[in-house]
Amino acid sequence: MACAITERTERPFSSLRRWTIAAGMVLFLSPLALVPQLVGEVNMCGAVCPRLFMIIPSSGVLAGLRDKVAAEWFGASLVAVSLLVTFFLGRLWCGHLCPIGGASEYVSRLVPRRLRISFAFLAAPWFRYAYFAVFVAGVWLGIGAIGCKLCNYRIIPFLAGAPFVPGYRTYLLSSVGLAGLMTVVLTGFLADGGRAYCSLLCPVGALDGIVNALSAKLGWTAKTRTDPELCVGCGECVKACMVSALELDDECKSRRDQSSCMSCKECVKVCAHGAIRYGRS
Amino acid sequence: MAGPDALRRALCGAAGVLLGLLPLARCPGGACLSCGGCAAAAAVAGLAGLGSWMRRRRTV
């Protein structure tokens, strides 16, 4: 049975998320960049980087992980705490605090709808974990390192700091900077929902998604869940989802991919039938 | 993620691997930083173009 979904209107953006994401941006991005400065950095690279420690070096998994975690200790700690929170409460870092995905989401809402690009046609989990596998194991397998190339944790802080730091402007105008900038613009600022980078390319999001999907199988963990008995198949949740984690199945019931769901809870608010709620199953 | 099927999943997996490999490409150009980012950015642009085209063909 084909399930009809009407034209998408502007996605909801709860006031709670507006404030928490704005707080994340103030804490992590220029001009204040309070958290990076606390640990002796000026942006989200170096010790604050939450990604590079995941790359397995040619020296091996354990030795490499020890060195990497020592170098990027704050970023690794941030990811560890994020995964712990995700296990019990869902992806609160991704959906409510991440200044990078949040900045993309903010900007994408300023873009006229006709210019936005939808990546909903992709089977996001398959794309995400294929890219993640290359990101993590590329060096170890002798292929090479994606590393900082295309990294939005580099591009967006550099964009925020560009008015103040000439070096950031120089980087953004270099070939590698322009390539990263283009990736961020297309999969972030111009993406429908502003979160295509988060859904397809972010290594932190990929790890978070695995933990969210596995812990969702435990009924006592708090997740955004759908009760199929109450779902009437109106599709409002599908339209509200910024990462295309929801779809209507063959029986016109809302079905959720927990590895993509960012626990933003916007779908809970738009469900007029009380079929979606956040909590234990 | 409407209408997932095995072929679409396999193609998306292959596209993910490809996008991961593209930044490792090397350009013989002298002034180029040889980062391979241009190839990856071109791939992202291709994906975005495909997404934009498909969005016009579908309601959601």
Side-chain angles (χ1 to χ4, degrees):
Chain A
M1 180 168 60
C3 309
I5 297 179
T6 55
E7 179 66 28
R8 189 196 296 278
T9 52
E10 186 59 271
R11 286 184 177 78
F13 196 10
S14 73
S15 57
L16 173 67
R17 284 204 322 118
R18 285 177 203 220
W19 283 106
T20 53
I21 288 172
M25 290 162 66
V26 170
L27 287 172
F28 285 92
L29 299 181
S30 292
L32 299 179
L34 297 173
V35 174
Q37 290 198 63
L38 275 178
V39 294
E41 300 286 353
V42 292
N43 50 42
M44 296 199 69
C45 300
V48 188
C49 176
R51 291 177 173 166
L52 282 183
F53 80 93
M54 297 182 203
I55 296 175
I56 303 170
S58 51
S59 56
V61 178
L62 287 179
L65 189 65
R66 189 184 59 229
D67 295 343
K68 293 275 188 180
V69 169
E72 289 111 32
W73 65 273
F74 187 84
S77 307
L78 191 68
V79 172
V81 172
S82 165
L83 295 180
L84 197 63
V85 171
T86 295
F87 185 90
F88 290 104
L89 300 172
R91 294 174 63 182
L92 299 187
W93 166 259
C94 295
H96 288 77
L97 265 175
C98 177
I100 309 302
S104 295
E105 192 180 345
Y106 261 109
V107 174
S108 76
R109 287 175 183 274
L110 303 175
V111 174
R113 286 189 59 225
R114 63 188 169 81
L115 296 180
R116 294 183 199 169
I117 301 158
S118 173
F119 290 86
F121 70 99
L122 289 170
W126 291 77
F127 192 102
R128 179 192 315 137
Y129 292 111
Y131 182 83
F132 182 62
V134 179
F135 180 88
V136 169
V139 175
W140 187 48
L141 295 173
I143 300 171
I146 299 174
C148 307
K149 297 162 192 168
L150 311 183
C151 181
N152 61 350
Y153 268 72
R154 171 172 288 225
I155 296 294
I156 289 180
F158 276 35
L159 271 177
F164 319 106
V165 186
Y168 289 179
R169 296 197 289 272
T170 306
Y171 176 82
L172 290 170
L173 292 174
S174 70
S175 61
V176 67
L178 284 171
L181 189 61
M182 183 175 163
T183 304
V184 167
V185 168
L186 290 174
T187 61
F189 302 161
L190 292 181
D192 197 18
R195 295 284 192 151
Y197 193 106
C198 309
S199 181
L200 301 172
L201 302 175
C202 179
V204 180
L207 268 186
D208 237 15
I210 292 172
V211 172
N212 198 51
L214 293 177
S215 57
K217 297 183 186 303
L218 306 170
W220 49 269
T221 55
K223 307 289 171 197
T224 313
R225 303 175 196 269
T226 307
D227 183 347
E229 297 296 319
L230 295 175
C231 179
V232 298
C234 64
E236 289 301 313
C237 55
V238 177
K239 291 193 290 179
C241 184
M242 61 188 178
V243 286
S244 305
L246 292 159
E247 64 173 358
L248 295 181
D249 63 15
D250 293 340
E251 296 175 348
C252 289
K253 301 288 186 186
S254 173
R255 188 170 62 184
R256 181 182 308 273
D257 167 24
Q258 289 285 7
S259 76
S260 299
C261 175
M262 286 196 183
S263 309
C264 66
K265 304 174 211 165
E266 303 291 1
C267 53
V268 178
K269 292 187 176 64
V270 300
C271 183
H273 306 277
I276 304 178
R277 63 184 191 85
Y278 172 77
R280 300 172 185 176
S281 63
Chain B
M1 51 181 261
D5 52 42
L7 178 62
R8 191 167 69 102
R9 289 170 174 177
L11 285 174
C12 286
V17 170
L18 188 63
L19 188 60
L21 294 177
L22 279 174
L24 313 177
R26 292 290 180 268
C27 172
C32 172
L33 293 179
S34 296
C35 65
C38 52
V44 173
L47 271 179
L50 189 59
S52 184
W53 176 70
M54 291 192 73
R55 183 167 180 258
R56 288 196 199 97
R57 296 180 63 232
R58 291 164 38 151
T59 306
V60 174

